[in-house]
Amino acid sequence: MDLILQTIANSVRGEDNRVIIGISGHGASGKTTFAHNLVKLLGHDSVNYINTDPYIIGSQLRKYTLIDYEYRNEQHQAKMTACHPAAHHVFALERDIHMLRDGLDFYTIGTNFTKSVLVSSEKKINIVEGMTVAFTDPNLYDLKIYLYTDGETELLRGSSRDVAERGTDIHYLRKSHEERRIQYDLFMHPYHRNFDLVIKNSNEDYILEKGSINK
């Protein structure tokens, strides 16, 4: 993974024009760690970083939205997860990326878990990271990177804190995870076809499934 990160960093450092990198994947795919490591390589003072979590409709609203779908010839009804495109303010993110492209200064969306920060037109490198990226127009980005894991790795990563720190029942987590994973397979993963680099990873290794890197 370090080679991929270093190669991307080297390629964008030499760009005179504005560069917008979109990084996406499901909730425990490693996309945020990947993005943060890329920012470190490029230098925090040189990069605008936008996390797309504020563009996701809050879980307190999603829990009232039931959706019906078919998976492996079985009918399902469950609350909408963040893997569904309708759970995202897609047009709002696309508006803000257009502002990036046009070299306009603006402030990111502030929430109770993230503070609003200035996106400066003086910084040529822009990283937009989060699930919402997958559902936006791929032509808005100069480089698109998608990360994902198998279902078991996702469960282990996502549940470790809930079980250890919050005492959540692992059987409940596994059941809810299964439904989230089905929605991911149906509604989000097909969008990986729009990305330049597709990386499947686990806690032990990674595979570059699509795209290539030039050393």
Side-chain angles (χ1 to χ4, degrees):
M1 194 75 81
D2 289 344
L3 176 59
I4 295 176
L5 286 162
Q6 191 64 62
T7 303
I8 294 170
N10 291 342
S11 66
V12 299
R13 279 196 193 102
E15 289 287 335
D16 293 327
N17 298 324
R18 196 174 309 281
V19 176
I20 301 177
I21 301 172
I23 301 174
S24 194
H26 61 69
S29 64
K31 64 187 182 302
T32 303
T33 299
F34 186 95
H36 287 173
N37 287 338
L38 184 56
V39 171
K40 288 179 184 177
L41 284 173
L42 292 167
H44 289 81
D45 294 336
S46 303
V47 180
N48 288 314
Y49 169 73
I50 298 176
N51 179 278
T52 69
D53 283 355
Y55 297 86
I56 303 176
I57 295 171
S59 59
Q60 72 277 13
L61 296 177
R62 292 200 311 273
K63 68 182 180 181
Y64 298 112
T65 305
L66 292 177
I67 57 175
D68 297 299
Y69 44 95
E70 182 179 312
Y71 184 73
R72 295 179 178 174
N73 298 319
E74 291 185 1
Q75 297 299 318
H76 292 251
Q77 183 182 77
K79 71 175 184 178
M80 179 189 294
T81 73
C83 293
H84 197 286
H88 299 258
H89 297 292
V90 174
F91 294 122
L93 179 58
E94 290 182 340
R95 173 205 62 204
D96 291 349
I97 296 173
H98 278 295
M99 293 176 71
L100 282 179
R101 283 222 162 273
D102 293 338
L104 299 173
D105 292 352
F106 65 94
Y107 281 91
T108 60
I109 300 171
T111 69
N112 59 353
F113 54 87
T114 57
K115 66 178 182 179
S116 176
V117 296
L118 175 67
V119 174
S120 171
S121 59
E122 295 182 1
K123 298 179 181 181
K124 299 296 183 183
I125 303 172
N126 304 273
I127 295 175
V128 185
E129 176 266 313
M131 296 178 74
T132 314
V133 169
F135 307 116
T136 53
D137 181 358
N139 295 312
L140 291 172
Y141 307 94
D142 301 294
L143 177 64
K144 303 174 292 294
I145 305 164
Y146 188 89
L147 297 96
Y148 77 102
T149 69
D150 60 88
E152 193 62 28
T153 300
E154 181 188 8
L155 175 63
L156 289 172
R157 289 177 178 176
S159 63
S160 57
R161 183 181 64 178
D162 288 336
V163 173
E165 298 180 10
R166 302 173 183 172
T168 308
D169 181 70
I170 186 61
H171 300 293
Y172 167 80
L173 286 173
R174 184 173 291 277
K175 178 60 178 175
S176 62
H177 164 75
E178 288 173 359
E179 208 60 55
R180 285 196 306 271
R181 189 71 189 192
I182 289 171
Q183 290 195 30
Y184 166 72
D185 287 341
L186 286 174
F187 304 121
M188 184 176 183
H189 189 64
Y191 286 88
H192 79 281
R193 302 185 189 98
N194 296 331
F195 286 74
D196 303 305
L197 300 178
V198 177
I199 303 169
K200 182 177 182 180
N201 68 93
S202 66
N203 291 334
E204 290 77 36
D205 202 1
Y206 74 93
I207 300 171
L208 182 60
E209 290 192 337
K210 178 185 177 183
S212 61
I213 55 172
N214 298 315
K215 300 180 183 179

